[in-house]
């Protein structure tokens, strides 16, 4: 069996190693996913004030800051049975939705599109033909021959000047690229436009949360006050005023326009050219999907019936039966460490519910990044990843946009079925095509449009509440620790852009006694469990045929379709806790 190793996988957040074994036909017959950095924030949280958890857990990475903050505040609020005002619920929904739209667009263009787009090929494109193509696809205003000629010249300057930057060392000219030069030029132009677009839309986070990245949150509600009397001429503002709220309405409009006129048409154009990547089962792996739910529609955050994205599990692609998911039941969600670099007081093959979870690092090597995952050598500790192996009722589960879209399709939530059916009809693909690498990419785009459309309703609801005199954004009733129970625990759920996320906290005498978080990429990228079952990454790579094993573009397409985020593993220490490296910003 030949080995192909990608270490590190680039255009992701964090540090990931993928190793596959291939047969004589270059077909992947075995795959292993290894997270190569340690995430130890759970240990940092022990003994701290629970109200600080959101600020610390959002430092898992600089991308999922909103997601981990919301999961943290919800965990504490659940433990304390702490209600929040409806305005705070709406503000959180708007901040979460902004994270979705921003993150999905940035992932598509800046992390994933170059798996399908041969950017150097765009140099041979006809700008007039590209302009005609853009005009046929949507009403997007940047659609002239002169515009695309200018983008092409900018790209030519990058290439001829040896300044390809992040586009260097890629697989340009690979036989697996299929797009015409004109489509390549169009998508590259949108790649550049998305850089400017994203700077504007994250102002929503800055308005409600003070800044971006790492906006502020608060246990008990939103971190901002609403002031209906603040005048535009005032330079110092410590609250959200009517000008800010009007700007948010404008930004929501900008999001929807870009998604509808740029992101969605580009996804459809790429999907039409790569229908072979929508082959049912190609890049899917498991057929099991799970959601924790998101976007509470009322006062009770933890009422599953009020979630716009429902909670549930789908097994073996059966959309006719959705199983309930209980975040607190000890036998449902468990984490295993048999193939991870951790110790457990309960034994390596025993799964622990996060309330009882342990984070005891135990790097044993000499697996990645030093050795092969398939070296065939006997090993008393076969660990090969810093990622644990979470399971739901013993089953590995895929989480993320595909899981959410399938869940909303199954329960007929909102416009999901209409959007999915319309997209597949245009592409002349069956519903089963969603169970694929391209299906995962299509699902992310359709989800973005679905959520962007919801944002206007939430914004209107907030404005109506304010107009009716309701400006409450925080509940101070339980802010003092002396009012808390001596012992309590809570689970804070969240649907991050990359999938189901939850934090579990135990609070004893006003301090955190135990804290565990299972992030989406843990579900998707985890190693094999004690039963030998692979997680989604590993399972989805089996069956891929590599056109050129020295340029494994096929592997990158499927891995990137999950939008990996291993940046939760950013702080690394040696066994004595000493600092290993310093990075200087020059």
């Amino acid at each position: 069996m030949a080995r192909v190793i990608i270490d590190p996988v680039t255009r992701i957040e964090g540090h990931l190693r993928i190793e596959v074994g291939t047969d004589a036909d270059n077909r992947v017959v075995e795959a292993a996913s290894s997270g190569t950095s340690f995430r130890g924030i759970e240990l940092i949280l022990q003994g701290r004030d629970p109200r600080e958890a959101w600020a610390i857990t959002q430092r898992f990475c600089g991308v999922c800051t909103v997601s981990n903050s919301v999961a943290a505040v919800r965990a504490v609020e659940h433990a304390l049975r702490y209600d929040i005002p409806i305005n705070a619920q709406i503000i959180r929904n708007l901040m979460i939705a902004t994270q979705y739209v921003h993150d999905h667009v940035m992932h598509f263009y800046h992390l994933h599109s170059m798996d399908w787009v041969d950017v150097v090929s765009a140099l041979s494109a006809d700008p007039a033909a590209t302009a005609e193509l853009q005009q046929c696809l949507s009403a997007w205003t940047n659609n002239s021959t002169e515009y695309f000629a200018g983008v092409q010249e900018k790209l030519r300057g990058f290439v001829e000047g040896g300044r390809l930057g992040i586009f260097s060392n890629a697989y340009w000219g690979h036989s697996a690229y299929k797009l015409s030069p004109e489509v390549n030029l169009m998508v590259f132009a949108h790649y550049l436009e998305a850089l400017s677009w994203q700077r504007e839309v994250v102002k929503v986070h800055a308005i409600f949360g003070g800044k971006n990245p790492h906006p502020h949150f608060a246990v008990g509600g939103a971190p901002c006050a609403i002031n209906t009397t603040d005048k535009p001429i005032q330079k110092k503002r410590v609250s959200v005023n009517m000008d800010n709220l009007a700007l948010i309405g404008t930004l929501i409009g900008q999001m929807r326009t870009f998604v509808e006129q740029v992101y969605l048409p580009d996804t459809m154009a790429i999907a039409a050219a790569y229908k072979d990547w929508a082959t049912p089962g190609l890049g899917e792996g498991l057929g099991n999907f799970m959601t924790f739910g998101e976007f509470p529609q009322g006062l009770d955050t933890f009422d599953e019936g009020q979630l716009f994205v429902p909670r549930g599990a789908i097994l073996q692609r059966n959309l006719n039966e959705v199983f309930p998911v209980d975040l607190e039941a000890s036998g449902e969600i468990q984490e295993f460490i048999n193939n991870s670099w951790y110790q457990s007081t309960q034994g390596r093959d025993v799964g622990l519910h996060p309330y009882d979870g342990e984070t005891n690092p135990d790097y044993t090597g000499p697996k990645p990044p030093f050795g092969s995952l398939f070296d065939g050598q006997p090993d008393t500790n076969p660990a090969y990843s810093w990622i644990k192996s979470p399971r739901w009722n013993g089953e590995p589960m895929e989480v993320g946009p595909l899981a959410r879209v399938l869940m909303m399709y199954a329960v007929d939530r909102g416009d999901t079925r209409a959007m999915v059916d319309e997209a597949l009809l245009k592409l002349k693909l069956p519903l089963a095509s969603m169970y694929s690498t391209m299906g995962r990419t299509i699902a992310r785009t359709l989800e973005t449009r679905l959520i962007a459309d919801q944002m206007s309703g939430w914004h209107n609801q907030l404005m109506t509440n304010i107009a009716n005199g309701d400006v409450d954004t925080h509940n101070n009733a339980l802010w003092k620790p002396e009012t808390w129970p001596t012992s309590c625990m809570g689970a804070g759920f969240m649907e991050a852009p990359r999938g189901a996320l939850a934090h579990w906290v135990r609070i004893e005498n006003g301090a955190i006694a135990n804290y565990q978080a299972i992030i989406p990429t843990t579900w998707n990228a985890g190693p094999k469990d004690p039963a030998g079952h692979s997680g989604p990454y590993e399972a989805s790579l089996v069956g891929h045929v590599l056109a050129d094993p020295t340029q494994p573009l096929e592997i990158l397409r499927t891995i990137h379709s999950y939008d990996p985020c291993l940046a939760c593993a950013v702080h690394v220490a040696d066994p004595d806790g000493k600092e290993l490296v310093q990075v200087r910003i020059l």
Side-chain angles (χ1 to χ4, degrees), residues 85-266:
I86 188 62
N87 288 336
Q89 200 79 279
I90 298 169
I91 288 170
R92 287 183 187 178
N93 282 351
L94 288 170
M95 294 182 74
I96 296 165
T98 298
Q99 175 88 52
Y100 268 74
V101 178
H102 173 268
D103 192 88
H104 285 349
V105 169
M106 299 301 287
H107 168 262
F108 177 79
Y109 287 104
H110 305 131
L111 303 180
H112 192 31
S113 69
M114 295 305 141
D115 295 329
W116 315 100
V117 173
D118 188 342
V119 67
V120 176
S121 163
L123 294 177
S124 62
D126 178 357
T130 306
E132 183 178 355
L133 172 65
Q134 176 68 83
Q135 293 163 18
C136 290
L137 290 178
S138 78
W140 187 241
T141 54
N142 291 335
N143 61 8
S144 68
T145 300
E146 294 75 18
Y147 173 74
F148 286 109
V151 172
Q152 190 177 52
E153 284 308 303
K154 181 178 292 187
L155 175 60
R156 194 181 310 280
F158 292 157
V159 174
E160 293 179 353
R163 295 180 288 112
L164 268 174
I166 60 174
F167 303 121
S168 61
N169 299 321
Y171 303 150
W172 311 132
H174 194 289
S175 61
Y177 281 122
K178 295 183 179 181
L179 297 180
S180 69
E182 287 71 29
V183 176
N184 287 327
L185 178 58
M186 179 183 70
V187 179
F188 174 71
H190 297 157
Y191 177 110
L192 298 179
E193 291 174 37
L195 290 171
S196 299
W197 170 88
Q198 61 93 18
R199 288 197 300 268
E200 291 298 308
V201 300
V202 295
K203 289 179 179 178
V204 173
H205 291 164
I207 291 171
F208 285 135
K211 60 191 179 77
N212 180 279
H214 301 295
H216 295 290
F217 285 85
V219 171
C224 56
I226 295 174
N227 188 340
T228 59
T229 62
D230 194 9
K231 303 298 183 182
I233 59 173
Q234 290 180 311
K235 294 183 179 180
K236 293 183 179 180
R237 295 170 179 165
V238 294
S239 57
V240 175
N241 61 23
M242 301 309 291
D243 288 344
N244 300 144
L245 293 169
L247 175 57
I248 286 174
T250 300
L251 294 172
I252 291 172
Q254 292 176 6
M255 292 185 213
R256 296 180 66 182
T257 298
F258 195 87
V259 170
E260 292 172 4
Q261 297 184 10
V262 182
Y263 180 22
L264 179 59
D266 284 355

Side-chain angles (χ1 to χ4, degrees), residues 349-399:
D349 292 341
V350 177
L352 297 179
H353 185 275
Y355 276 144
D356 303 311
E358 301 174 359
T359 303
N360 304 315
D362 180 31
Y363 178 73
T364 55
K367 301 293 184 180
F370 311 107
S372 168
L373 301 177
F374 305 130
D375 56 16
Q377 299 299 315
D379 195 336
T380 56
N381 183 355
Y384 62 90
S385 181
W386 280 113
I387 304 173
K388 299 178 183 178
S389 301
R391 296 294 183 262
W392 174 77
N393 284 332
E395 297 284 348
M397 307 295 290
E398 176 176 338
V399 300

